[in-house]
Tab-separated table of all heavy atoms in Angstrom:
chain	number	residue	atom	x	y	z
A	1	SER	N	-6.741	-72.239	-24.108
A	1	SER	CA	-6.017	-71.389	-25.028
A	1	SER	C	-4.535	-71.779	-25.059
A	1	SER	O	-3.894	-71.913	-24.037
A	1	SER	CB	-6.141	-69.931	-24.592
A	1	SER	OG	-5.355	-69.085	-25.416
A	2	MET	N	-4.004	-71.990	-26.262
A	2	MET	CA	-2.576	-72.257	-26.447
A	2	MET	C	-1.801	-70.943	-26.519
A	2	MET	O	-0.767	-70.776	-25.882
A	2	MET	CB	-2.364	-73.070	-27.714
A	2	MET	CG	-0.920	-73.286	-28.098
A	2	MET	SD	-0.015	-74.425	-27.014
A	2	MET	CE	-0.667	-75.994	-27.508
A	3	LEU	N	-2.359	-69.999	-27.305
A	3	LEU	CA	-1.678	-68.735	-27.548
A	3	LEU	C	-2.704	-67.602	-27.443
A	3	LEU	O	-3.750	-67.674	-28.087
A	3	LEU	CB	-1.015	-68.749	-28.926
A	3	LEU	CG	-0.313	-67.471	-29.369
A	3	LEU	CD1	0.920	-67.228	-28.521
A	3	LEU	CD2	0.064	-67.584	-30.855
A	4	SER	N	-2.377	-66.599	-26.683
A	4	SER	CA	-3.275	-65.463	-26.513
A	4	SER	C	-2.500	-64.168	-26.708
A	4	SER	O	-1.563	-63.870	-25.991
A	4	SER	CB	-3.889	-65.480	-25.100
A	4	SER	OG	-4.804	-64.411	-24.953
A	5	VAL	N	-2.893	-63.424	-27.741
A	5	VAL	CA	-2.286	-62.113	-28.046
A	5	VAL	C	-3.295	-61.023	-27.692
A	5	VAL	O	-4.431	-61.078	-28.148
A	5	VAL	CB	-1.909	-62.049	-29.544
A	5	VAL	CG1	-1.325	-60.668	-29.884
A	5	VAL	CG2	-0.926	-63.152	-29.922
A	6	ARG	N	-2.886	-60.052	-26.891
A	6	ARG	CA	-3.811	-59.058	-26.406
A	6	ARG	C	-3.313	-57.650	-26.657
A	6	ARG	O	-2.279	-57.247	-26.139
A	6	ARG	CB	-4.052	-59.229	-24.891
A	6	ARG	CG	-4.859	-60.472	-24.526
A	6	ARG	CD	-6.342	-60.263	-24.867
A	6	ARG	NE	-7.124	-61.474	-24.582
A	6	ARG	CZ	-7.392	-62.392	-25.490
A	6	ARG	NH1	-6.959	-62.263	-26.721
A	6	ARG	NH2	-8.095	-63.463	-25.179
A	7	ASN	N	-4.041	-56.907	-27.506
A	7	ASN	CA	-3.839	-55.472	-27.711
A	7	ASN	C	-2.392	-55.106	-28.015
A	7	ASN	O	-1.836	-54.139	-27.497
A	7	ASN	CB	-4.302	-54.697	-26.463
A	7	ASN	CG	-5.715	-55.035	-26.045
A	7	ASN	OD1	-5.910	-55.649	-24.972
A	7	ASN	ND2	-6.692	-54.717	-26.890
A	8	VAL	N	-1.795	-55.880	-28.897
A	8	VAL	CA	-0.399	-55.697	-29.268
A	8	VAL	C	-0.225	-54.547	-30.262
A	8	VAL	O	-0.932	-54.438	-31.242
A	8	VAL	CB	0.212	-56.996	-29.832
A	8	VAL	CG1	1.523	-56.725	-30.551
A	8	VAL	CG2	0.426	-57.987	-28.705
A	9	ARG	N	0.783	-53.713	-29.977
A	9	ARG	CA	1.171	-52.635	-30.888
A	9	ARG	C	2.678	-52.768	-31.126
A	9	ARG	O	3.450	-53.039	-30.215
A	9	ARG	CB	0.869	-51.255	-30.279
A	9	ARG	CG	-0.612	-50.993	-30.094
A	9	ARG	CD	-0.866	-49.773	-29.207
A	9	ARG	NE	-0.348	-48.542	-29.801
A	9	ARG	CZ	-1.104	-47.754	-30.584
A	9	ARG	NH1	-2.365	-48.086	-30.866
A	9	ARG	NH2	-0.623	-46.621	-31.075
A	10	ALA	N	3.089	-52.547	-32.369
A	10	ALA	CA	4.496	-52.568	-32.727
A	10	ALA	C	4.740	-51.571	-33.844
A	10	ALA	O	3.858	-51.359	-34.685
A	10	ALA	CB	4.930	-53.972	-33.178
A	11	SER	N	5.918	-50.977	-33.860
A	11	SER	CA	6.191	-49.958	-34.878
A	11	SER	C	7.647	-50.008	-35.338
A	11	SER	O	8.515	-50.529	-34.612
A	11	SER	CB	5.865	-48.550	-34.333
A	11	SER	OG	6.641	-48.285	-33.176
A	12	PHE	N	7.902	-49.482	-36.523
A	12	PHE	CA	9.231	-49.312	-37.065
A	12	PHE	C	9.399	-47.830	-37.351
A	12	PHE	O	8.843	-47.304	-38.309
A	12	PHE	CB	9.411	-50.146	-38.335
A	12	PHE	CG	9.155	-51.613	-38.149
A	12	PHE	CD1	7.957	-52.184	-38.539
A	12	PHE	CD2	10.126	-52.411	-37.561
A	12	PHE	CE1	7.736	-53.546	-38.357
A	12	PHE	CE2	9.905	-53.790	-37.381
A	12	PHE	CZ	8.719	-54.340	-37.792
A	13	GLY	N	10.171	-47.153	-36.476
A	13	GLY	CA	10.258	-45.722	-36.626
A	13	GLY	C	8.889	-45.098	-36.362
A	13	GLY	O	8.272	-45.335	-35.351
A	14	GLY	N	8.411	-44.335	-37.312
A	14	GLY	CA	7.095	-43.712	-37.170
A	14	GLY	C	5.971	-44.536	-37.758
A	14	GLY	O	4.808	-44.107	-37.701
A	15	PHE	N	6.276	-45.717	-38.307
A	15	PHE	CA	5.254	-46.526	-38.936
A	15	PHE	C	4.670	-47.527	-37.953
A	15	PHE	O	5.406	-48.325	-37.388
A	15	PHE	CB	5.831	-47.274	-40.134
A	15	PHE	CG	4.880	-48.252	-40.768
A	15	PHE	CD1	3.757	-47.793	-41.463
A	15	PHE	CD2	5.085	-49.615	-40.684
A	15	PHE	CE1	2.877	-48.666	-42.040
A	15	PHE	CE2	4.194	-50.501	-41.257
A	15	PHE	CZ	3.083	-50.053	-41.947
A	16	LEU	N	3.361	-47.459	-37.758
A	16	LEU	CA	2.691	-48.384	-36.834
A	16	LEU	C	2.334	-49.665	-37.587
A	16	LEU	O	1.386	-49.717	-38.368
A	16	LEU	CB	1.424	-47.724	-36.266
A	16	LEU	CG	0.697	-48.463	-35.151
A	16	LEU	CD1	1.598	-48.655	-33.942
A	16	LEU	CD2	-0.576	-47.721	-34.765
A	17	ALA	N	3.101	-50.744	-37.342
A	17	ALA	CA	2.948	-51.980	-38.082
A	17	ALA	C	1.803	-52.837	-37.497
A	17	ALA	O	1.127	-53.559	-38.237
A	17	ALA	CB	4.230	-52.769	-38.083
A	18	LEU	N	1.646	-52.810	-36.172
A	18	LEU	CA	0.584	-53.537	-35.480
A	18	LEU	C	-0.163	-52.536	-34.589
A	18	LEU	O	0.463	-51.875	-33.766
A	18	LEU	CB	1.140	-54.673	-34.657
A	18	LEU	CG	1.876	-55.794	-35.389
A	18	LEU	CD1	2.455	-56.801	-34.396
A	18	LEU	CD2	0.955	-56.494	-36.405
A	19	ASP	N	-1.471	-52.486	-34.742
A	19	ASP	CA	-2.277	-51.476	-34.056
A	19	ASP	C	-3.374	-52.173	-33.248
A	19	ASP	O	-4.440	-52.487	-33.793
A	19	ASP	CB	-2.866	-50.502	-35.077
A	19	ASP	CG	-3.630	-49.370	-34.414
A	19	ASP	OD1	-3.583	-49.261	-33.191
A	19	ASP	OD2	-4.272	-48.590	-35.180
A	20	ASP	N	-3.105	-52.464	-31.987
A	20	ASP	CA	-4.084	-53.026	-31.073
A	20	ASP	C	-4.605	-54.384	-31.553
A	20	ASP	O	-5.784	-54.645	-31.626
A	20	ASP	CB	-5.273	-52.067	-30.910
A	20	ASP	CG	-6.107	-52.361	-29.661
A	20	ASP	OD1	-5.509	-52.746	-28.657
A	20	ASP	OD2	-7.332	-52.224	-29.728
A	21	VAL	N	-3.664	-55.280	-31.872
A	21	VAL	CA	-3.994	-56.610	-32.410
A	21	VAL	C	-4.238	-57.608	-31.297
A	21	VAL	O	-3.415	-57.735	-30.384
A	21	VAL	CB	-2.861	-57.109	-33.329
A	21	VAL	CG1	-3.112	-58.565	-33.757
A	21	VAL	CG2	-2.743	-56.219	-34.569
A	22	SER	N	-5.361	-58.292	-31.374
A	22	SER	CA	-5.668	-59.389	-30.449
A	22	SER	C	-6.022	-60.646	-31.227
A	22	SER	O	-6.681	-60.541	-32.276
A	22	SER	CB	-6.820	-59.010	-29.523
A	22	SER	OG	-6.507	-57.930	-28.686
A	23	LEU	N	-5.568	-61.784	-30.725
A	23	LEU	CA	-5.771	-63.051	-31.438
A	23	LEU	C	-5.754	-64.175	-30.431
A	23	LEU	O	-4.979	-64.147	-29.451
A	23	LEU	CB	-4.659	-63.235	-32.505
A	23	LEU	CG	-4.602	-64.499	-33.342
A	23	LEU	CD1	-4.047	-64.170	-34.741
A	23	LEU	CD2	-3.725	-65.558	-32.672
A	24	GLU	N	-6.587	-65.189	-30.671
A	24	GLU	CA	-6.675	-66.338	-29.758
A	24	GLU	C	-6.510	-67.627	-30.566
A	24	GLU	O	-7.222	-67.830	-31.556
A	24	GLU	CB	-8.013	-66.336	-29.034
A	24	GLU	CG	-8.065	-67.245	-27.818
A	24	GLU	CD	-7.504	-66.589	-26.549
A	24	GLU	OE1	-7.406	-65.328	-26.535
A	24	GLU	OE2	-7.177	-67.299	-25.626
A	25	LEU	N	-5.585	-68.457	-30.144
A	25	LEU	CA	-5.361	-69.763	-30.777
A	25	LEU	C	-5.586	-70.832	-29.741
A	25	LEU	O	-4.889	-70.893	-28.724
A	25	LEU	CB	-3.934	-69.839	-31.311
A	25	LEU	CG	-3.474	-71.135	-31.956
A	25	LEU	CD1	-4.322	-71.496	-33.173
A	25	LEU	CD2	-2.012	-71.059	-32.354
């Protein structure tokens, strides 16, 4: 695996922009 994203969450104020995102490259 070069890049592993696990259960990422990100928000701007009250807006949830990323909701439990996982990705494998």
